[in-house]
Amino acid sequence: MRIGPYEIHSIETGRFALDGGAMFGVVPKNLWSKTNPPDEQNRITLAMRCLLLLHEDGRKILIDNGVGHKYSEKFASIYRIDHSQFTLEASLLEYGLSTNDITDVLLTHLHFDHAGGSTKVVNGEVVPTFENAKYYVQNKHYDWGKTASEKDRASFIKADYEILATSKRMIFLAGEDCHLPNIRFFIANGHSPNQQLPIVYDDHRSIFFCGDLIPTMTHVAVPYVMAYDNQPLVTIEEKKHVLNQAVKEKWILFFEHDPATVGATVILDDKGYRVGETQSF
């Protein structure tokens, strides 16, 4: 798929699992389990899917990067992390690229399943994974991560991003201006304060990177809101705003966590918002 100056590709980095009840909040299990079957521990399978944007001038932009490989056996067991089928490195290689080729990394937010791949361990030392890249995050979100609430503190792992700030690899942003061509942000606060969700656009179409605002196709339905969210009522209002724009302007939603569906358009009918035509890219 091409939008503006970018050739766009979906990048798979691995799979993991989270509690189904937490993923769907107040929605009963007998509803969400129809499309998201849980395992014996009530966990559902989730993707860690990213976007690769290849600019015609040679710039190579990655949006999020999965959990990485720094985790312990205990951590991998809790979250059922699985790299047997997909890794970031192997997915980049399909396009003839390595991590050294990436020039810009847009981080929606700093939770471990979105930013964990930002760093790696070499000879016992945490170093940037993308040696030649700048990393972009909202300044207020970074500040939140340093003093996060008891509710989401466990999702922030300093080894994923602290070295990026101290080594001056991190570009701190404020608001929707991305400083990259044909990309702007929608700033969402319901899940975690100042989550920056990229919109890649031209005069003909737009892709909305859903991040943790609409993590899976199932979450297109407005009441499906994660218990992980800091402010679920704010999430609902943010979802309605985005979904309204998606219907009106025929946006393609990109699902970071849906294990089967990469993207889709949105339809509004008498039953509410629902998925329209699915997309692959």
Side-chain angles (χ1 to χ4, degrees), residues 57-74:
D57 70 359
R59 177 174 277 169
K60 298 169 179 64
I61 302 167
L62 190 65
I63 305 177
D64 281 356
N65 51 53
V67 72
H69 303 283
K70 301 186 303 295
Y71 48 81
S72 65
E73 289 186 16
K74 180 180 179 181

Side-chain angles (χ1 to χ4, degrees), residues 27-218:
V27 177
K29 182 177 181 179
N30 61 359
L31 293 181
W32 60 254
S33 62
K34 293 178 181 178
T35 51
N36 300 268
D39 66 10
E40 69 283 353
Q41 295 185 39
N42 205 48
R43 299 173 300 184
I44 64 169
T45 299
L46 297 168
M48 290 180 284
R49 183 179 296 116
C50 310
L51 269 184
L52 174 66
L53 310 180
L54 304 179
H55 195 284
E56 56 195 20
D57 70 359
R59 177 174 277 169
K60 298 169 179 64
I61 302 167
L62 190 65
I63 305 177
D64 281 356
N65 51 53
V67 72
H69 303 283
K70 301 186 303 295
Y71 48 81
S72 65
E73 289 186 16
K74 180 180 179 181
F75 189 89
S77 176
I78 291 172
Y79 296 107
R80 212 182 73 203
I81 296 172
D82 180 9
H83 284 120
S84 62
Q85 185 177 3
F86 303 113
T87 66
L88 171 63
E89 295 79 6
S91 294
L92 287 174
L93 191 58
E94 291 182 15
Y95 299 99
L97 302 175
S98 73
T99 54
N100 291 343
D101 293 310
I102 301 301
T103 59
D104 305 270
V105 180
L106 305 184
L107 298 171
T108 58
H109 58 305
L110 297 175
H111 288 177
F112 65 80
D113 53 313
H114 298 258
S118 297
T119 61
K120 61 183 178 180
V121 176
V122 177
N123 297 325
E125 182 181 358
V126 176
V127 298
T129 299
F130 308 96
E131 296 182 9
N132 300 306
K134 297 177 181 178
Y135 297 73
Y136 301 73
V137 73
Q138 290 289 310
N139 183 50
K140 289 182 179 178
H141 178 74
Y142 185 86
D143 288 344
W144 172 265
K146 291 189 292 187
T147 58
S149 69
E150 290 86 348
K151 193 174 193 302
D152 65 342
R153 187 173 296 157
S155 295
F156 292 94
I157 300 174
K158 289 183 179 180
D160 292 341
Y161 54 84
E162 197 169 56
I163 187 64
L164 305 177
T166 58
S167 64
K168 299 183 179 179
R169 296 291 193 92
M170 191 81 84
I171 305 297
F172 293 106
L173 303 175
E176 67 177 23
D177 187 356
C178 179
H179 303 292
L180 293 170
N182 293 79
I183 305 173
R184 68 180 187 274
F185 292 125
F186 174 76
I187 305 301
N189 293 288
H191 176 64
S192 186
N194 292 275
Q195 178 185 190
Q196 57 181 21
L197 301 175
I199 305 168
V200 186
Y201 65 91
D202 60 19
D203 292 335
H204 306 288
R205 56 184 168 181
S206 300
I207 292 177
F208 179 79
F209 191 97
C210 291
D212 276 345
L213 178 63
I214 307 173
T216 75
M217 180 176 70
T218 309

Side-chain angles (χ1 to χ4, degrees), residues 176 184-187 197-202 204-210 213-214 220 222 236-254 264-268 273-274:
E176 67 177 23
R184 68 180 187 274
F185 292 125
F186 174 76
I187 305 301
L197 301 175
I199 305 168
V200 186
Y201 65 91
D202 60 19
H204 306 288
R205 56 184 168 181
S206 300
I207 292 177
F208 179 79
F209 191 97
C210 291
L213 178 63
I214 307 173
V220 168
V222 172
I236 285 176
E237 293 307 310
E238 290 169 342
K239 281 178 65 173
K240 289 192 290 188
H241 175 83
V242 166
L243 291 168
N244 179 61
Q245 289 294 106
V247 171
K248 185 165 63 174
E249 300 181 13
K250 298 181 172 59
W251 287 0
I252 299 170
L253 301 187
F254 179 86
T265 57
V266 181
I267 295 171
L268 177 62
Y273 295 102
R274 60 185 178 88

